[in-house]
Amino acid sequence: MKHQKKEHLKDIEMAKKRNHKIMITDEAIRKVPRIKYKNIPKSEYNTIRELARNVLRISKDENNSNEVAITYGMDSVERIKKGEEYIGVALGSEHGVDPISSTIAYHLVSAAEDCIVIVLHNHPSLSDFSLSDVQFLIRYASVKMMVVVTNLGSISYLVKGKGYAYDKAVTLFNEAVSANNAANDLKGLQKAADHFLKNCYIAGIDYDNR
């Protein structure tokens, strides 16, 4: 375990020295961990891991290691029985992706009871959640969890718990933006996102970084 952590830190330090996009490797796909996600049924853990790996595979093979989002409806069993789609894939650019630019993803977010949105981030700094990710999670009631996977295979996630309070989440989001010069530049945007992540428990949201 210690060896894995040292290797991960080494990968990050090497990546930070680069001034360009990090290209995805088969090793990064293999490294994606199986996580015991809070507030998510155990039966979904392996599925989420495979979806996170697929985000990297699709980005590597079909999108030049640019951003990709997969939206997954946790009511998949019922949807399969009805012959309905339960996974939507959206391809983005090097600097962003709109998960619901996929028609299937849009339908899932609009109609599914609980959705998981897995987003690939491939910035040279290997950033965690962006402010737009946080805003997306809050905006759509059906989005239960957002998972960020970097081009090196590490995982972060935000998940709404039983005590999730929309009003508190909106207030915290606005406070984060206001406290960081209205988040009107890259530094302000990241600081605002960090502020939200550190305090999201106030709104009943769990955050973890692997």
Side-chain angles (χ1 to χ4, degrees):
M1 190 69 176
K2 288 183 179 179
H3 175 71
Q4 289 179 339
K5 286 184 177 180
K6 286 181 180 179
E7 286 297 312
H8 178 58
L9 290 172
K10 182 180 177 182
D11 285 343
I12 291 176
E13 288 305 312
M14 288 177 64
K16 284 183 176 180
K17 293 177 182 178
R18 302 172 185 171
N19 59 3
H20 57 80
K21 175 175 60 181
I22 299 154
M23 304 305 287
I24 298 166
T25 64
D26 290 336
E27 177 66 11
I29 296 171
R30 187 191 65 77
K31 279 184 179 180
V32 173
R34 179 184 184 275
I35 294 174
K36 297 178 180 179
Y37 292 96
K38 298 176 183 177
N39 305 306
I40 297 294
K42 182 179 178 181
S43 58
E44 298 286 356
Y45 296 166
N46 288 337
T47 298
I48 298 170
R49 182 189 192 187
E50 192 55 35
L51 288 171
R53 285 176 165 174
N54 282 338
V55 162
L56 293 180
R57 288 189 189 103
I58 292 167
S59 176
K60 175 179 176 288
D61 297 339
E62 301 177 29
N63 205 35
N64 194 34
S65 290
N66 288 327
E67 297 204 21
V68 170
I70 286 181
T71 301
Y72 165 65
M74 285 201 291
D75 54 356
S76 58
V77 174
E78 289 77 13
R79 289 184 172 276
I80 290 170
K81 287 179 181 177
K82 296 176 183 177
E84 298 176 351
E85 299 281 359
Y86 63 95
I87 293 176
V89 180
L91 305 184
S93 67
E94 182 177 347
H95 301 293
V97 62
D98 177 7
I100 57 174
S101 62
S102 156
T103 302
I104 296 172
Y106 178 80
H107 178 70
L108 287 171
V109 169
S110 301
E113 184 175 339
D114 282 320
C115 285
I116 294 172
V117 178
I118 301 173
V119 182
L120 167 69
H121 276 311
N122 50 26
H123 307 149
S125 62
L126 296 177
S127 62
D128 205 326
F129 282 87
S130 68
L131 203 59
S132 60
D133 293 329
V134 172
Q135 191 173 35
F136 188 89
L137 177 73
I138 296 171
R139 179 182 298 166
Y140 296 101
S142 63
V143 178
K144 172 76 173 176
M145 179 169 73
M146 285 198 76
V147 179
V148 167
V149 54
T150 72
N151 282 31
L152 292 179
S154 61
I155 292 282
S156 301
Y157 72 91
L158 284 169
V159 60
K160 296 170 182 172
K162 291 181 179 179
Y164 172 67
Y166 170 80
D167 291 345
K168 290 182 180 179
V170 171
T171 298
L172 178 61
F173 181 88
N174 290 336
E175 286 176 355
V177 172
S178 298
N180 291 281
N181 299 317
N184 57 9
D185 59 23
L186 189 58
K187 186 176 181 181
L189 283 167
Q190 195 55 56
K191 281 190 173 183
D194 290 343
H195 179 90
F196 186 93
L197 295 176
K198 288 175 183 176
N199 297 283
C200 62
Y201 64 91
I202 294 171
I205 298 173
D206 287 304
Y207 164 70
D208 201 358
N209 186 325
R210 301 300 179 91

